Amino acid sequence: MSRLSFTPRPYGKLIQDHILDTPRCGVWAGMGMGKTVSTLNALDILELVEPGPTLVCAPLRVAQSTWPDEARKWAHLRNVEVVPIVGDAKARTRALARAWGASASIFTINYENLPWLEETLRAQRRAWPFRRIVSDESTKLKGWRGSQQTNANGTEFVRGAGAQRSRSLARVAFTHARRFIELTGTPSPNGLQDLWGQAWFLDQGARLGRTFKAFSQRWFRTKHQGFGTEPYDHAQAEIEDRMRDLCMSLNAADWFDLREPIKNLIRVEMPTKARALYQDMERKMFMQIDGHEIEAFNAAAKTMKCLQLANGAAYVDENAEQWAEVHDVKLQALESVIEEAAGMPVLVAYHFRSDLSRLQKAFPQGRHLDKDPQTIRDWNAGRIPVLFAHPASAGHGLSLQDGGNILVFFSLNWNLEEHLQITERIGPTRQMQAGHDRPVFIHYLVARGTIDELVLARIETKREVQDLLLETMKRKGYA
């Protein structure tokens, strides 16, 4: 893949300088605003003045693909190699061994494997090798409730409640890492109480309280009904003021032209077995899933089968009623988008009924855009966190802009008109007409090396479908 010339966004250097100037810091900016590449730029500079490997903790898909892909994408990062510590135990161990060499400076790992990392280093009797830690999607640390204490020998140690991954990270966050960088779209998706755990990893509780109890007693009170807590009126302003020197917040509306949607391409990697099925369909127009034989008799049927496999499931009968699931990587990617939306409603475009069934199972809080007019009223009133819509059902005249400004294409299809129509349901023009001063975010979930990429090219360039297919067949040696 040829590398691209990098044109920084106007605020990119602000993120980079904040990371360079603030050893323990947070960057709060929405998905698609360039947090990853800005952080890579800062880490590349830090490697010159503070040599030593960096560990990036992230959700699995982000650790496996997003960070390595971003480093490979840009020409100015050609000397930066990102090594994912993912896969089975043997693969993780091989990747980890490179942390003591000079061949790579950035390593990524999913949060769930942090306890494994701690145990492996202990078993190998090796010291913690990473001088810097990046917590991507730092809300994963929001449940931390521990503290730093001193035992009879004067040695500090971490104790307290929280997920094992947080405890593993807490034991090295201050004793072994000179820098700790937190990245997230919204640090408090479920309220201000989410901030304490993340803030602790930056300053050990110096700003918001040494313990979660102290934090809660200072800024929260019991609700009038006697159940749960709520923040005092002054809590948000005071908490934000205390964190201001460590955490920078970027609002997309301050930097982007609201007349154009902010588009974000999210690539996913199909698992090996699913990839083999997909390639078999491309090569032979024939495949077998769970004992069901499927044959694509023409190019149109073939592309539909390939699109189904890219999404994660394929029909296994002639009537398109039964389907078999082959992977869930797009569901994982959508989960990340919904999580980073931090409570903002998300409109999800799907194409196949199998997609809808899987989406409803994976996200039970979601609703389907059906023929009931109350569904649209509930969406526009903010009562539906995730709305699943087929582009053909969200056509002319439908107004969804009051309900949200985030659209995710879980599935792609060749119909350009349908794509334009569902986009316009929450599009910039409708947002401004409705008085919403906010950008529109469009996320495309694309399986790498599949027909998804051709459909996206069709949408962006309006090229004929036949031309795109013939060009791809020649490039892959099928014609």
Side-chain angles (χ1 to χ4, degrees):
M1 180 182 72
S2 59
R3 293 177 179 264
L4 304 177
S5 297
F6 179 66
T7 302
R9 289 173 176 166
Y11 54 81
K13 195 170 188 305
L14 296 178
I15 297 176
Q16 176 183 305
D17 290 347
H18 179 65
I19 293 173
L20 294 175
D21 297 339
T22 315
R24 311 188 77 85
C25 66
V27 176
W28 302 343
M31 179 176 287
M33 291 190 69
K35 296 189 298 292
T36 304
V37 68
S38 297
T39 304
L40 283 168
N41 291 340
L43 294 175
D44 191 26
I45 295 171
L46 286 172
E47 179 63 19
L48 297 175
V49 295
E50 301 174 9
T54 297
L55 181 69
V56 177
C57 309
L60 177 59
R61 180 190 60 81
V62 178
Q64 188 174 42
S65 301
T66 302
W67 282 83
D69 287 353
E70 196 70 16
R72 287 192 292 262
K73 181 178 181 179
W74 303 110
H76 75 291
L77 296 176
R78 62 174 54 87
N79 295 321
V80 175
E81 183 183 3
V82 178
V83 178
I85 306 176
V86 298
D88 58 29
K90 289 183 178 179
R92 296 196 300 268
T93 301
R94 286 195 302 269
L96 176 60
R98 298 184 61 185
W100 288 274
S103 60
S105 59
I106 300 175
F107 295 78
T108 60
I109 191 170
N110 55 307
Y111 284 98
E112 293 76 11
N113 272 328
L114 285 171
W116 170 87
L117 176 61
E118 183 182 33
E119 294 169 4
T120 300
L121 292 175
R122 186 184 303 116
Q124 295 179 353
R125 296 184 179 180
R126 285 182 176 269
W128 179 265
F130 305 106
R131 300 193 64 179
R132 294 170 290 273
I133 297 175
V134 177
S135 173
D136 193 358
E137 196 47 62
S138 61
T139 52
K140 296 289 186 182
L141 306 177
K142 67 185 181 182
W144 171 246
R145 298 292 181 263
S147 61
Q148 202 85 3
Q149 299 190 12
T150 306
N151 61 20
N153 299 322
T155 303
E156 289 191 329
F157 64 102
V158 173
R159 59 179 299 182
Q164 179 59 38
R165 63 192 181 200
S166 298
R167 293 200 294 273
S168 296
L169 204 56
R171 280 190 275 268
V172 296
F174 295 94
T175 57
H176 293 75
R178 293 186 59 182
R179 292 178 177 268
F180 199 101
I181 304 159
E182 294 184 354
L183 308 175
T184 186
T186 303
S188 52
N190 301 308
L192 291 173
Q193 288 189 330
D194 287 351
L195 284 174
W196 186 84
Q198 297 170 79
W200 186 91
F201 281 88
L202 300 180
D203 67 0
Q204 293 180 278
R207 287 165 178 77
L208 300 187
R210 296 290 182 182
T211 65
F212 182 76
K213 182 178 180 180
F215 168 72
S216 298
Q217 289 177 339
R218 178 163 187 148
W219 282 295
F220 296 84
R221 63 189 173 198
T222 302
K223 290 182 178 179
H224 296 303
Q225 301 91 334
F227 300 98
T229 62
E230 62 184 5
Y232 287 110
D233 294 339
H234 57 83
Q236 181 157 346
E238 290 185 4
I239 291 172
E240 289 179 353
D241 185 62
R242 285 178 174 243
M243 297 302 298
R244 199 178 308 279
D245 63 323
L246 296 186
C247 300
M248 70 177 299
S249 180
L250 294 173
N251 184 355
D254 295 334
W255 298 95
F256 288 97
D257 182 354
L258 299 187
R259 292 171 297 181
E260 293 294 331
I262 301 170
K263 297 181 179 180
N264 184 35
L265 177 61
I266 302 174
R267 294 186 182 276
V268 300
E269 295 285 352
M270 294 175 67
T272 303
K273 290 183 178 179
R275 171 69 64 182
L277 288 171
Y278 180 89
Q279 291 174 340
D280 197 38
M281 172 56 73
E282 271 195 330
R283 187 168 49 250
K284 305 176 186 176
M285 299 175 67
F286 178 87
M287 67 180 179
Q288 187 174 6
I289 303 177
D290 291 340
H292 301 277
E293 292 187 350
I294 308 167
E295 191 166 1
F297 293 100
N298 53 55
K302 173 188 174 184
T303 63
M304 289 298 104
K305 292 300 181 186
C306 289
L307 285 170
Q308 291 164 24
L309 283 171
N311 294 341
Y315 290 113
V316 295
D317 67 324
E318 294 182 358
N319 299 321
E321 294 179 352
Q322 299 179 29
W323 47 270
E325 188 168 26
V326 294
H327 69 78
D328 64 354
V329 292
K330 281 197 176 184
L331 293 173
Q332 295 176 30
L334 178 58
E335 183 179 13
S336 296
V337 174
I338 293 173
E339 186 172 292
E340 191 154 356
M344 290 291 292
V346 177
L347 177 63
V348 179
Y350 72 91
H351 185 61
F352 301 103
R353 282 182 289 122
S354 57
D355 296 338
L356 176 60
S357 178
R358 295 167 63 230
L359 287 166
Q360 290 175 319
K361 181 178 179 181
F363 305 98
Q365 74 274 30
R367 291 259 298 275
H368 178 222
L369 180 60
D370 50 22
K371 295 181 180 180
D372 186 350
Q374 186 60 41
T375 302
I376 296 178
R377 288 194 286 268
D378 287 345
W379 164 260
N380 282 324
R383 291 191 286 267
I384 300 178
V386 185
L387 183 65
F388 308 121
H390 193 289
S393 302
H396 298 273
L398 206 61
S399 296
L400 301 174
Q401 69 273 10
D402 289 327
N405 59 318
I406 303 172
L407 170 62
V408 182
F409 282 92
F410 180 86
S411 317
L412 294 167
N413 70 74
W414 298 110
N415 193 314
L416 181 60
E417 172 69 12
E418 289 183 358
H419 176 273
L420 294 174
Q421 283 301 316
I422 193 170
T423 299
E424 185 52 33
R425 297 315 98 208
I426 65 165
T429 301
R430 286 181 175 269
Q431 295 289 333
M432 287 189 285
Q433 288 173 343
H436 301 304
D437 185 23
R438 60 191 184 188
V440 173
F441 292 91
I442 301 179
H443 305 292
Y444 295 98
L445 307 186
V446 173
R448 186 189 305 280
T450 71
I451 202 167
D452 277 353
E453 297 175 338
L454 301 186
V455 178
L456 193 58
R458 154 77 171 160
I459 292 167
E460 293 176 341
T461 66
K462 300 182 182 179
R463 289 182 60 189
E464 291 296 328
V465 174
Q466 180 175 324
D467 292 342
L468 289 166
L469 288 172
L470 288 173
E471 180 181 300
T472 302
M473 289 177 68
K474 290 178 181 178
R475 186 175 69 249
K476 294 190 175 184
Y478 297 154

